[in-house]
Amino acid sequence: MLILKNYIDGQWIDSISGKRTQKFNPANREEALCEAQASVAQDVERAMSAASQAFPAWARTPVPQRAALLQQLLEKMKANETEFVRTVTLENGKILRESRAEFQSAIKEADYQIGQGRRLGGAHVPSEQPGLLAYMTRQPLGVVSLITPWNFPLNVACRKMFPALIAGNTCVLKPSDVTPMTSALLFKLLNEAGFPRGVANFVTGRGSVIGDTLVNHPSVRAISFTGSTEVGLSIAGKVAGRSTKIQLEMGGKNPLVVLADANLERAVDAAMIGAFSCSGQWCTSTSRVIVEAPVYETVVEMLTQKAKAIAVGNGLDEAARMGPVAGPDQYESILKYIEIGKREGARLCAGGHALREGHFARGYFIAPTIFADVTSAMRIAREEIFGPVLCVMKANDFEDSVCIANETIFGLASSVFTQDLAKAQRFIEESQVGLCHVNMPTAFKEPQLEFGGIKESGRGLPEAGTTGAEFFTSHKAVYLRPLS
Ligand code: NAD
C-alpha cells in the first residue's frame, strides 16, 4: 500500500494524529490506492512555522534563481508525464486523454507563470518634482495557504503554487482529501529539485479538520482557494476582519447559448465537450444549453443522440469516452439532483440513472443525462450539479437567451453560438461572467489570460494570466530623492 506523508520543512513526516485515511479508486471501490495522513491542526501549525522561517531568505532570493528552481521542477514534471496522467486517472476517475490534457495545461500555465516572475516589476513614472524618482514596485506577501479541489488535482495546484513561489512567497498546500496522490507526486519532484527547506510544504487531511488552521493561522498573508462556493464564501467570512488577501475560485452554472443562425453541429459538439468531459466535473462545464425556439427541438434531438452514444468506462481504458464520477459523495449528490429534475417535471431525454451492471458494478458510474424543457425556476437550473447532467432550456429570442443565461447567482463562464457578429458582441457585453466565449466550448482557456469568475463564482484577483502572480504580491509606491 502506498503511504503518503506530509512534506514539512523539507522532510516527509507522519501526522502527529498517528492516523491515516484510505483512498479508493472511483472506478473500483474495492481497490485501495493509498493511505494519506489524516492531519490535524498541529501539523498545519508546523508547516506554517517552517514556511515562516523560510520566507525571508526566499523573498531575498533573486527572481532568476527562484525561476531556475521552478524550471527544474517543471522539467521533472515533463519527465514524469506518464505517472502524473495515470495517477490523475486512478484517483479522480477521468479518462486518460482528459488527464493528459490536464497535464499539458498544468505545464503551460506553470511555464507562463515562471516567465511572469521576470515581468513582476512596476512602472517608473515621471515625477511632478525635479530630481525625484517615482515608481511602483511589488513585494512578496509572506506565507500563503493554497487549498485545492479534486477535479483538477494537478492543474489547480500548479496554477497556485508556481505564481506564489515565483513571486517570493512560501506556501502550505492542502489538496482535496479525495485526490492526495497527484500533489504528493508533485512534492516528491519538488523535493528532488532542491528547493530550500520550508519554502513549499504539503499537508493532507479533511477541510473540516484542518481548514480553519489554514485560513486563520496568524502567519497567513493570503489564501488562494479553489472549490465550492459554500466553502469559499465561508473563508471570505472568516478573514473579513483581517488583512489576509483572498483569491476564491468557486462554483459555476455555465450557459451555452445556441441562436437560430448557429452552426448547429459545432454548437452541439461544444455543448457535449462542456457537459460530459471529466463527467461534467469542471467548474467551467456547460450545465445549461439555452436554445432559440426555431432550432430548439433539433438541438435537443442532436444532444440526446450524442449523449446516448458516449462510451462510459474505466478511465484507464483508452476506448472510454467518459469515466466514473470522483467518489461516493459526488455520486450520491448527482443522483439526488437527477431525481430532483424528474420530480420538477423536466423532460428526461437521455440517461437519468446510475450504471450498476457488469463492469460498472464496483465504480461510481452515471449515465450521461440530458433534461430538456428545463426552466429557470427549477433547482437543476439554479444549483451546481457538478456531474454529467445537462439542462436544455428554450429561449424565445436573443434577448430572452441572455436573460436566462444571466439568471443565476454564478458568473464563471459562458458561450454563444451565432454567425451574427452584432449579437455576439452584445452577448460579450451583457453576459455576467469572468470567461466569455463565442463559438467555443465554455471550458476553453489559455494560460496567458486571467481565469476566474464574478458574482458567486469568484472573489479577489483571478488566477493565471498577469494577475496570477500579482495576487501574491503587495504594491509599494516609492518616491526617492537621491540627494538630501
Ligand atoms: P470543496 O469546497 O468541497 O473543497 C475544496 C477544498 O477546500 C478541498 O481541499 C477541501 O478539503 C477544502 N475545504 C473543505 N472545507 C474547508 C474549510 N472549512 N476550510 C478550508 N478548506 C476547506 O470543493 P470540491 O468538491 O473539492 O471541488 C468542487 C468545487 O470546486 C465545485 O464547486 C467547482 O465548481 C469548484 N471549482 C472551481 C474552479 C474555479 O476555478 N472556479 C475550479 C475547479 C473547481
Side-chain angles (χ1 to χ4, degrees), residues 26 57 144 173 222 227 239 244 289:
V144 298
L173 184 141
V239 302
T244 314
V289 172

Side-chain angles (χ1 to χ4, degrees), residues 148 150-151 174 225-228 249-251 283 384 386 451:
T148 62
W150 47 262
N151 66 332
K174 190 201 92 61
F225 163 90
T226 298
S228 61
E249 303 297 357
M250 304 180 284
C283 53
E384 187 184 42
F386 219 56
F451 180 85

